[in-house]
Amino acid sequence: MKIKSQQYALALFELVKDKKGQELEKIVANFARLLTERNDDFKADKIALEFENLWYQENLVVRAEIKSARALKPATVKALAEKLRKISGAKELDLSEKVELDIIGGAVIKYGDKILDAGLKNRLQKFKEALAV
Amino acid sequence: MPIKSKDFIVEELKRQIEGFKPEAGEKLFGRVMEVGDGIALVSGLSEVMMSEMLEFKTSAGSVYGVVLNLNEGNVGSIVLGDALKIKEGDEVIATKRILEVPVGEAMIGRVVNPLGVPLDQKEEIKADKYYPIEKVAPGVISRESVKQPVQTGIKAIDAMIPIGRGQRELIIGDRQIGKTAIAIDTIINQKGQNMKCVYVAIGQKESKVAGIVAKLEAAGAMKYTTIVLAGASDPAPLLYIAPYAGTAIAEYFLDKGEDVLVVYDDLSKHAVSYREISLLLKRAPGREAYPGDVFYLHSRLLERSCKLNKDYGGGSITSLPIIETQAGDVSAYIPTNVISITDGQIYLEPDLFYQGNRPAISVGISVSRVGSSAQIKAMKKVAGKIKLEAAQYRELASFAQFGSDLDDETKKKLERGKRLFEIFKQEQYSPVPVEDQVLIYFAISNGFMDNVPLEKISDFEKDLVEYTRNNSQETLERIATSGLLDEVSEAELIKVISACKDTLDYLEQNND
């Protein structure tokens, strides 16, 4: 029977949920052995990704990315993060920042599977569309 | 007043700039997990709607797609455009819009693809409006029964299988037997009949479509016709949406209270393209590997054909779907489905075709469930007898094969029948106006053709129409405009037919 990476991830997640220290290490080692035994070690990357997704889901962590034209001040990032935590209902944010000149100004914020485009480029585009009608 | 109008523009601009609120709209996004064969599997997009449009942000510009499957954790979508540009991991954004096509007067005379993009290298299309390609069909309240005729210009059809405005009449038969020819003739004959036409080519060879466009152009039919082309080399998703897009273009005219004729050429290929998409999306295959909802695929399309009542504008959409059978097998899955959806079918028979009876319409199996309410009164009067005679002839002809002695009455009926079937023959691209048809059928059912030799019937037809056009034009015009065949017209027709026969030299004398 073929086992999907999602199923592997779920099994591992449930096993290690409340485990710590040596016990945890043992489980992970066994898991790795199982993967090689079943010739499924090529799935490791995907399993890791799925595992992370599950972990985030369980602990209400939301991945977020802030793209801006210039590097933002720490205070601004903090304010944005606070706001994001509120709208997404997350306990914790896995926040990354990125500088991209292409958006001209403002910021584009991604969190979960949503995108909040407050970039200048997008606004100009919208303005162009509004005038065209 | 050019200055004042400029002022107006500036004012308007100011007003718009002041009123413009930049919104940081929240959008859904996902990433491409898998792509291939015109299908893309996308992760994320947790709140996306069914049949919502997706924008694939690829390195070579945007490509659009439509959601067809909502699974746990991923979304299956068809790609409308170049799927080769899309790569795994590309960003996908939900547009919150249902797929729409441009519609309007500007579409007339154009060849477009199912997304409304012109393919004829003429100027860009300035659309009045955008219509969603999928729409719920008009309900019971807004409809009325079919009663106005669509004149196909094909003698056998107009007399025996009348089609009404708002009807759905299936054209079915094997390959290379003249299915498209019937549809094209019908489009050509709509000149001056207050009818817009949409020809949807699904999976057709582009050379064939080019030929059709040239033919319609030559006949002046492109002045009221739009061609929606999803060619054989287009990906399956485009073929799949083509008939819906064609219907959306027709619905614009319907909403304006106009009559539209839509030809779907052909729905077998449409079903095949949908099967391809469904199998790629891993939906369970059923009979002949078609998915379970293949009936709904066609029923929801053909239900959009309708005749609206006066309160709703009084427009209509008549559809002529075409189905190609394999070796005359009408009991295959798709043919039986579409037969049961439509209001009748025109069945084309290979045997008749190779005997030289063209159009090869099989009179026995072809029916129109709307019936004579979709004929003008004059045609109803002459065609009532024709149907009976054709039926009697077929019955007698099968007996007469045994070669036994026949009484005079039977012989006469056989001769009449032979002539009738000779009349049903008709050249391609030469539709006959309804008043001429009334004249011809009047002549044969009243015995005026009994002494015309069988091989001269088509000559006689031509001579008769020409003579009547020259000598009794007003009678024909009266029939055409009033739609009636009263006693006065009948007397005049008898007179003119007799007079015409006096001028001919090929009639059989002894029989008269």
Side-chain angles (χ1 to χ4, degrees), chain B residues 382-443:
Chain B
V382 290
K385 293 178 201 160
I386 297 294
K387 237 187 245 174
L388 189 70
E389 273 177 19
Q392 280 178 341
Y393 168 70
R394 261 194 328 229
E395 201 172 306
L396 284 176
S398 55
F399 275 112
Q401 279 178 355
F402 300 115
S404 51
D405 285 340
L406 302 164
D407 60 287
D408 282 350
E409 182 70 12
T410 316
K411 267 186 197 156
K412 223 173 156 184
K413 272 192 179 145
L414 278 175
E415 286 303 309
R416 177 77 60 89
K418 276 183 201 160
R419 283 169 176 74
L420 185 59
F421 275 81
E422 201 61 32
I423 282 180
F424 289 156
K425 291 182 185 172
Q426 191 171 339
E427 297 264 315
Q428 208 178 335
Y429 309 125
S430 52
V432 180
V434 64
E435 60 272 21
D436 292 359
Q437 290 189 30
V438 170
L439 168 70
I440 293 162
Y441 284 127
F442 182 82

Coordinates of all heavy atoms in Angstrom, one line a residue, chain B residues 382-443:
Chain B
V382 N -50.5 23.2 -47.6 CA -50.0 22.3 -48.6 C -49.2 21.1 -48.0 O -49.1 20.1 -48.6 CB -49.1 23.1 -49.7 CG1 -50.0 23.9 -50.5 CG2 -48.0 23.8 -49.0
A383 N -48.5 21.4 -46.9 CA -47.6 20.4 -46.4 C -48.3 19.2 -45.7 O -47.8 18.1 -45.5 CB -46.5 21.0 -45.5
G384 N -49.5 19.5 -45.2 CA -50.3 18.5 -44.5 C -50.4 17.3 -45.4 O -50.2 16.1 -45.0
K385 N -50.8 17.5 -46.7 CA -51.0 16.4 -47.6 C -49.6 15.7 -47.9 O -49.5 14.5 -48.1 CB -51.6 16.9 -48.9 CG -53.0 17.5 -48.8 CD -53.4 18.0 -50.1 CE -54.6 19.0 -49.9 NZ -54.8 19.8 -51.1
I386 N -48.6 16.6 -48.0 CA -47.2 16.1 -48.4 C -46.8 15.0 -47.4 O -46.3 13.9 -47.8 CB -46.2 17.2 -48.4 CG1 -46.6 18.2 -49.5 CG2 -44.8 16.7 -48.7 CD1 -46.6 17.8 -50.9
K387 N -46.9 15.3 -46.1 CA -46.5 14.3 -45.1 C -47.1 13.0 -45.3 O -46.5 11.9 -45.3 CB -46.8 14.9 -43.7 CG -45.7 15.0 -42.8 CD -46.1 15.4 -41.5 CE -45.7 16.8 -41.1 NZ -46.2 17.3 -39.8
L388 N -48.5 13.0 -45.5 CA -49.2 11.8 -45.7 C -48.7 11.1 -47.0 O -48.5 9.8 -47.0 CB -50.7 12.2 -45.9 CG -51.7 11.0 -45.9 CD1 -51.8 10.4 -44.5 CD2 -53.1 11.5 -46.3
E389 N -48.6 11.8 -48.0 CA -48.1 11.2 -49.3 C -46.8 10.5 -49.2 O -46.5 9.4 -49.7 CB -48.2 12.2 -50.4 CG -49.5 12.3 -51.1 CD -49.7 13.3 -52.1 OE1 -48.6 13.7 -52.7 OE2 -50.8 13.7 -52.5
A390 N -45.9 11.2 -48.5 CA -44.5 10.7 -48.3 C -44.6 9.4 -47.5 O -43.9 8.4 -47.8 CB -43.6 11.7 -47.6
A391 N -45.4 9.4 -46.5 CA -45.6 8.2 -45.6 C -46.2 7.0 -46.4 O -45.7 5.9 -46.4 CB -46.4 8.5 -44.4
Q392 N -47.2 7.3 -47.2 CA -47.9 6.3 -48.0 C -46.9 5.7 -49.1 O -46.9 4.5 -49.3 CB -49.1 6.9 -48.8 CG -50.3 7.0 -47.8 CD -51.5 7.6 -48.6 OE1 -51.3 8.3 -49.6 NE2 -52.7 7.4 -48.0
Y393 N -46.1 6.6 -49.7 CA -45.2 6.2 -50.7 C -44.2 5.2 -50.1 O -43.9 4.2 -50.7 CB -44.5 7.4 -51.3 CG -43.3 7.0 -52.2 CD1 -43.5 6.3 -53.4 CD2 -42.0 7.2 -51.8 CE1 -42.4 6.0 -54.2 CE2 -40.9 6.8 -52.5 CZ -41.1 6.2 -53.7 OH -40.1 5.8 -54.5
R394 N -43.6 5.5 -49.0 CA -42.6 4.7 -48.4 C -43.2 3.3 -48.1 O -42.5 2.3 -48.4 CB -42.1 5.3 -47.1 CG -40.8 6.0 -47.3 CD -40.2 6.2 -45.9 NE -41.4 6.4 -45.1 CZ -41.6 7.4 -44.2 NH1 -40.7 8.2 -44.1 NH2 -42.7 7.5 -43.6
E395 N -44.4 3.2 -47.6 CA -45.1 2.0 -47.4 C -45.3 1.2 -48.7 O -44.9 0.0 -48.7 CB -46.4 2.2 -46.7 CG -47.0 1.1 -45.9 CD -48.2 1.5 -45.1 OE1 -48.1 2.5 -44.4 OE2 -49.2 0.9 -45.3
L396 N -45.8 1.9 -49.7 CA -46.1 1.2 -50.9 C -44.8 0.8 -51.6 O -44.8 -0.3 -52.2 CB -46.9 2.1 -51.9 CG -48.3 2.3 -51.5 CD1 -48.9 3.4 -52.4 CD2 -49.1 1.0 -51.6
A397 N -43.8 1.6 -51.5 CA -42.6 1.3 -52.3 C -42.0 0.0 -51.8 O -41.4 -0.8 -52.6 CB -41.6 2.4 -52.1
S398 N -42.1 -0.3 -50.5 CA -41.5 -1.5 -50.0 C -42.3 -2.7 -50.5 O -41.7 -3.8 -50.7 CB -41.5 -1.5 -48.5 OG -42.7 -1.3 -48.0
F399 N -43.6 -2.6 -50.7 CA -44.4 -3.7 -51.3 C -44.1 -3.8 -52.7 O -44.0 -4.9 -53.3 CB -45.9 -3.4 -51.1 CG -46.4 -3.8 -49.8 CD1 -46.8 -2.9 -48.8 CD2 -46.5 -5.2 -49.5 CE1 -47.3 -3.3 -47.6 CE2 -46.9 -5.6 -48.2 CZ -47.4 -4.6 -47.3
A400 N -44.0 -2.7 -53.4 CA -43.9 -2.7 -54.9 C -42.6 -3.4 -55.3 O -42.4 -3.8 -56.4 CB -43.9 -1.3 -55.4
Q401 N -41.6 -3.5 -54.4 CA -40.4 -4.2 -54.7 C -40.6 -5.6 -55.2 O -39.8 -6.1 -55.9 CB -39.4 -4.2 -53.5 CG -38.7 -2.9 -53.3 CD -37.9 -2.9 -52.0 OE1 -37.9 -3.9 -51.3 NE2 -37.1 -1.9 -51.8
F402 N -41.6 -6.2 -54.7 CA -41.9 -7.6 -55.1 C -42.3 -7.8 -56.5 O -42.4 -8.9 -57.0 CB -42.9 -8.3 -54.1 CG -42.4 -8.2 -52.7 CD1 -43.0 -7.5 -51.7 CD2 -41.2 -8.9 -52.3 CE1 -42.6 -7.4 -50.4 CE2 -40.7 -8.9 -51.0 CZ -41.4 -8.1 -50.1
G403 N -42.6 -6.7 -57.1 CA -42.9 -6.7 -58.6 C -44.2 -7.3 -59.0 O -44.4 -7.6 -60.1
S404 N -45.2 -7.5 -58.1 CA -46.5 -8.0 -58.4 C -47.3 -6.9 -59.2 O -46.9 -5.8 -59.2 CB -47.2 -8.4 -57.2 OG -47.2 -7.4 -56.3
D405 N -48.3 -7.4 -59.8 CA -49.2 -6.4 -60.6 C -49.8 -5.4 -59.6 O -50.4 -5.8 -58.6 CB -50.3 -7.2 -61.3 CG -49.6 -7.9 -62.5 OD1 -48.5 -7.4 -62.9 OD2 -50.2 -8.8 -63.0
L406 N -49.8 -4.2 -60.0 CA -50.3 -3.2 -59.2 C -51.5 -2.5 -59.8 O -51.5 -2.4 -61.1 CB -49.3 -2.1 -58.9 CG -48.0 -2.6 -58.2 CD1 -46.9 -1.6 -58.3 CD2 -48.3 -2.9 -56.7
D407 N -52.5 -2.1 -59.1 CA -53.7 -1.4 -59.7 C -53.3 0.0 -60.0 O -52.3 0.5 -59.5 CB -54.9 -1.5 -58.8 CG -54.6 -0.9 -57.5 OD1 -53.9 -1.5 -56.6 OD2 -55.1 0.2 -57.2
D408 N -54.1 0.7 -60.8 CA -53.8 2.0 -61.3 C -53.6 3.0 -60.1 O -52.7 3.9 -60.1 CB -54.9 2.5 -62.2 CG -54.7 1.9 -63.5 OD1 -53.7 1.2 -63.7 OD2 -55.6 2.0 -64.4
E409 N -54.5 2.9 -59.1 CA -54.4 3.8 -58.0 C -53.1 3.7 -57.3 O -52.4 4.8 -57.0 CB -55.5 3.4 -57.0 CG -55.7 4.3 -55.8 CD -56.2 5.6 -56.1 OE1 -56.7 5.8 -57.2 OE2 -56.1 6.5 -55.2
T410 N -52.6 2.5 -57.1 CA -51.3 2.3 -56.4 C -50.2 2.9 -57.3 O -49.2 3.5 -56.8 CB -51.1 0.8 -56.1 OG1 -52.3 0.3 -55.6 CG2 -49.9 0.6 -55.1
K411 N -50.2 2.5 -58.6 CA -49.2 3.0 -59.5 C -49.1 4.5 -59.4 O -48.0 5.1 -59.4 CB -49.5 2.6 -60.9 CG -48.9 1.3 -61.3 CD -49.1 1.0 -62.7 CE -48.9 -0.5 -63.0 NZ -49.6 -1.0 -64.2
K412 N -50.3 5.2 -59.4 CA -50.3 6.6 -59.4 C -49.6 7.2 -58.1 O -48.9 8.1 -58.2 CB -51.8 7.1 -59.4 CG -52.0 8.2 -60.4 CD -53.5 8.5 -60.5 CE -53.8 9.9 -60.9 NZ -55.2 10.2 -60.9
K413 N -50.0 6.5 -57.0 CA -49.4 7.0 -55.8 C -47.9 6.8 -55.8 O -47.1 7.7 -55.3 CB -50.0 6.2 -54.6 CG -51.2 6.8 -54.1 CD -51.7 6.2 -52.8 CE -52.9 6.9 -52.3 NZ -53.8 6.0 -51.6
L414 N -47.4 5.7 -56.4 CA -46.0 5.4 -56.5 C -45.3 6.5 -57.3 O -44.2 7.0 -56.9 CB -45.7 4.1 -57.1 CG -45.8 2.9 -56.1 CD1 -45.6 1.6 -56.9 CD2 -44.8 3.0 -55.0
E415 N -45.9 6.8 -58.4 CA -45.4 7.9 -59.3 C -45.3 9.2 -58.6 O -44.3 9.9 -58.7 CB -46.2 8.0 -60.6 CG -46.0 6.8 -61.6 CD -44.6 6.6 -62.0 OE1 -43.9 7.6 -62.4 OE2 -44.0 5.5 -61.8
R416 N -46.4 9.6 -57.9 CA -46.4 10.8 -57.2 C -45.3 10.9 -56.1 O -44.6 11.8 -56.0 CB -47.8 10.9 -56.5 CG -48.1 12.1 -55.7 CD -48.3 13.4 -56.4 NE -49.5 13.4 -57.3 CZ -50.8 13.7 -56.9 NH1 -51.0 14.0 -55.7 NH2 -51.8 13.7 -57.8
G417 N -45.2 9.7 -55.4 CA -44.2 9.6 -54.4 C -42.8 9.8 -54.9 O -42.0 10.5 -54.3
K418 N -42.5 9.2 -56.0 CA -41.2 9.3 -56.6 C -40.9 10.7 -56.9 O -39.8 11.2 -56.7 CB -41.1 8.5 -57.9 CG -40.8 7.0 -57.7 CD -40.7 6.4 -59.1 CE -40.9 4.9 -59.0 NZ -41.3 4.3 -60.3
R419 N -41.9 11.5 -57.5 CA -41.7 12.9 -57.8 C -41.5 13.7 -56.5 O -40.7 14.6 -56.5 CB -42.9 13.4 -58.6 CG -42.8 12.9 -60.0 CD -44.1 13.1 -60.8 NE -43.9 12.7 -62.2 CZ -43.8 11.5 -62.6 NH1 -43.9 10.5 -61.7 NH2 -43.5 11.2 -63.9
L420 N -42.2 13.3 -55.5 CA -42.1 14.1 -54.2 C -40.7 14.0 -53.7 O -40.1 15.0 -53.3 CB -43.1 13.5 -53.2 CG -43.2 14.2 -51.9 CD1 -43.6 15.6 -52.1 CD2 -44.2 13.5 -51.0
F421 N -40.1 12.7 -53.7 CA -38.8 12.6 -53.2 C -37.8 13.2 -54.1 O -36.7 13.6 -53.6 CB -38.5 11.1 -53.0 CG -39.0 10.6 -51.6 CD1 -40.3 10.3 -51.5 CD2 -38.1 10.5 -50.6 CE1 -40.8 9.9 -50.2 CE2 -38.6 10.1 -49.3 CZ -40.0 9.8 -49.1
E422 N -38.1 13.3 -55.4 CA -37.3 14.1 -56.3 C -37.2 15.6 -55.9 O -36.2 16.2 -56.0 CB -37.8 13.9 -57.7 CG -36.8 14.2 -58.8 CD -35.6 13.2 -58.8 OE1 -35.7 12.1 -58.4 OE2 -34.5 13.7 -59.1
I423 N -38.4 16.1 -55.4 CA -38.5 17.5 -55.0 C -37.6 17.7 -53.8 O -37.1 18.8 -53.6 CB -39.9 17.9 -54.8 CG1 -40.6 18.1 -56.2 CG2 -40.1 19.1 -54.0 CD1 -42.0 18.5 -56.2
F424 N -37.6 16.7 -52.9 CA -36.8 16.9 -51.6 C -35.4 17.1 -51.9 O -34.6 17.6 -51.0 CB -37.0 15.7 -50.7 CG -38.4 15.6 -50.1 CD1 -38.9 14.4 -49.7 CD2 -39.2 16.7 -50.0 CE1 -40.2 14.3 -49.1 CE2 -40.5 16.7 -49.5 CZ -41.0 15.5 -49.0
K425 N -34.9 16.6 -53.1 CA -33.5 16.9 -53.4 C -33.2 18.3 -53.6 O -34.0 19.1 -54.1 CB -33.1 16.1 -54.7 CG -33.1 14.6 -54.5 CD -32.7 14.0 -55.8 CE -32.8 12.5 -55.7 NZ -32.6 11.8 -57.0
Q426 N -32.1 18.8 -53.1 CA -31.8 20.2 -53.1 C -30.3 20.4 -53.1 O -29.6 19.8 -52.4 CB -32.4 20.9 -51.9 CG -32.5 22.4 -52.0 CD -33.3 23.0 -50.9 OE1 -34.2 22.3 -50.3 NE2 -33.1 24.2 -50.6
E427 N -29.9 21.4 -53.9 CA -28.4 21.7 -54.0 C -28.0 22.4 -52.7 O -28.8 23.0 -52.1 CB -28.2 22.7 -55.2 CG -28.5 22.1 -56.5 CD -27.2 21.6 -57.2 OE1 -26.2 22.2 -57.1 OE2 -27.3 20.4 -57.7
Q428 N -26.7 22.3 -52.4 CA -26.2 22.9 -51.2 C -26.1 24.5 -51.5 O -26.0 24.9 -52.6 CB -24.8 22.4 -50.9 CG -24.5 22.5 -49.4 CD -23.1 22.0 -49.2 OE1 -22.6 21.1 -49.9 NE2 -22.5 22.4 -48.1
Y429 N -26.2 25.3 -50.5 CA -26.1 26.7 -50.5 C -27.2 27.4 -51.4 O -27.0 28.4 -52.0 CB -24.7 27.2 -51.0 CG -23.6 26.6 -50.3 CD1 -22.6 25.9 -51.0 CD2 -23.5 26.7 -48.9 CE1 -21.5 25.3 -50.3 CE2 -22.5 26.1 -48.2 CZ -21.5 25.4 -48.9 OH -20.4 24.8 -48.2
S430 N -28.3 26.7 -51.6 CA -29.4 27.3 -52.4 C -30.7 27.1 -51.7 O -31.5 26.4 -52.1 CB -29.4 26.7 -53.8 OG -29.5 25.3 -53.7
P431 N -30.9 27.9 -50.6 CA -32.1 27.8 -49.9 C -33.3 28.3 -50.7 O -33.1 29.2 -51.6 CB -31.9 28.6 -48.6 CG -30.7 29.5 -48.9 CD -29.9 28.7 -49.9
V432 N -34.5 27.7 -50.5 CA -35.6 28.1 -51.3 C -36.5 29.0 -50.4 O -36.9 28.5 -49.3 CB -36.4 26.9 -51.8 CG1 -37.6 27.3 -52.6 CG2 -35.4 26.0 -52.6
P433 N -37.0 30.2 -50.9 CA -37.9 31.0 -50.1 C -39.2 30.3 -49.8 O -39.6 29.4 -50.6 CB -38.1 32.2 -50.9 CG -37.0 32.2 -51.9 CD -36.6 30.8 -52.1
V434 N -39.8 30.6 -48.7 CA -41.0 29.8 -48.3 C -42.2 29.9 -49.3 O -42.9 28.9 -49.6 CB -41.5 30.2 -46.9 CG1 -41.9 31.7 -46.9 CG2 -42.6 29.3 -46.4
E435 N -42.3 31.1 -50.0 CA -43.4 31.2 -51.0 C -43.2 30.3 -52.2 O -44.1 29.7 -52.7 CB -43.7 32.6 -51.4 CG -42.5 33.4 -52.0 CD -41.6 34.0 -51.1 OE1 -41.5 33.6 -49.9 OE2 -40.8 34.9 -51.5
D436 N -41.9 30.1 -52.6 CA -41.6 29.2 -53.7 C -41.9 27.8 -53.3 O -42.4 27.0 -54.1 CB -40.1 29.4 -54.1 CG -39.8 30.7 -54.7 OD1 -40.8 31.5 -54.8 OD2 -38.7 31.0 -55.0
Q437 N -41.6 27.5 -52.0 CA -41.9 26.1 -51.5 C -43.4 25.8 -51.6 O -43.8 24.8 -52.0 CB -41.4 26.0 -50.1 CG -39.9 26.0 -50.0 CD -39.4 25.6 -48.6 OE1 -40.1 24.8 -47.9 NE2 -38.3 26.1 -48.2
V438 N -44.2 26.8 -51.2 CA -45.6 26.7 -51.2 C -46.1 26.4 -52.6 O -46.9 25.5 -52.9 CB -46.3 27.9 -50.6 CG1 -47.8 27.9 -50.9 CG2 -46.0 28.1 -49.2
L439 N -45.5 27.2 -53.6 CA -45.9 27.0 -55.0 C -45.5 25.6 -55.4 O -46.4 24.9 -56.1 CB -45.1 28.0 -55.8 CG -45.1 27.8 -57.3 CD1 -46.5 28.1 -57.9 CD2 -44.1 28.7 -58.0
I440 N -44.3 25.1 -55.1 CA -43.9 23.8 -55.6 C -44.8 22.7 -55.0 O -45.3 21.8 -55.7 CB -42.4 23.6 -55.3 CG1 -41.6 24.5 -56.1 CG2 -42.0 22.1 -55.5 CD1 -40.2 24.7 -55.5
Y441 N -45.0 22.8 -53.7 CA -45.8 21.7 -53.0 C -47.2 21.8 -53.5 O -47.9 20.8 -53.6 CB -45.7 21.9 -51.5 CG -44.4 21.4 -50.9 CD1 -43.6 22.2 -50.1 CD2 -43.9 20.1 -51.3 CE1 -42.4 21.7 -49.7 CE2 -42.7 19.6 -50.8 CZ -42.0 20.4 -50.0 OH -40.8 20.0 -49.5
F442 N -47.7 23.0 -53.7 CA -49.1 23.1 -54.3 C -49.2 22.4 -55.6 O -50.1 21.7 -55.9 CB -49.4 24.6 -54.4 CG -50.8 24.9 -54.9 CD1 -51.9 24.8 -54.0 CD2 -51.1 25.1 -56.2 CE1 -53.2 25.0 -54.4 CE2 -52.4 25.3 -56.6 CZ -53.5 25.2 -55.7
A443 N -48.2 22.6 -56.4 CA -48.2 22.0 -57.8 C -48.2 20.5 -57.7 O -49.0 19.8 -58.4 CB -47.0 22.5 -58.6

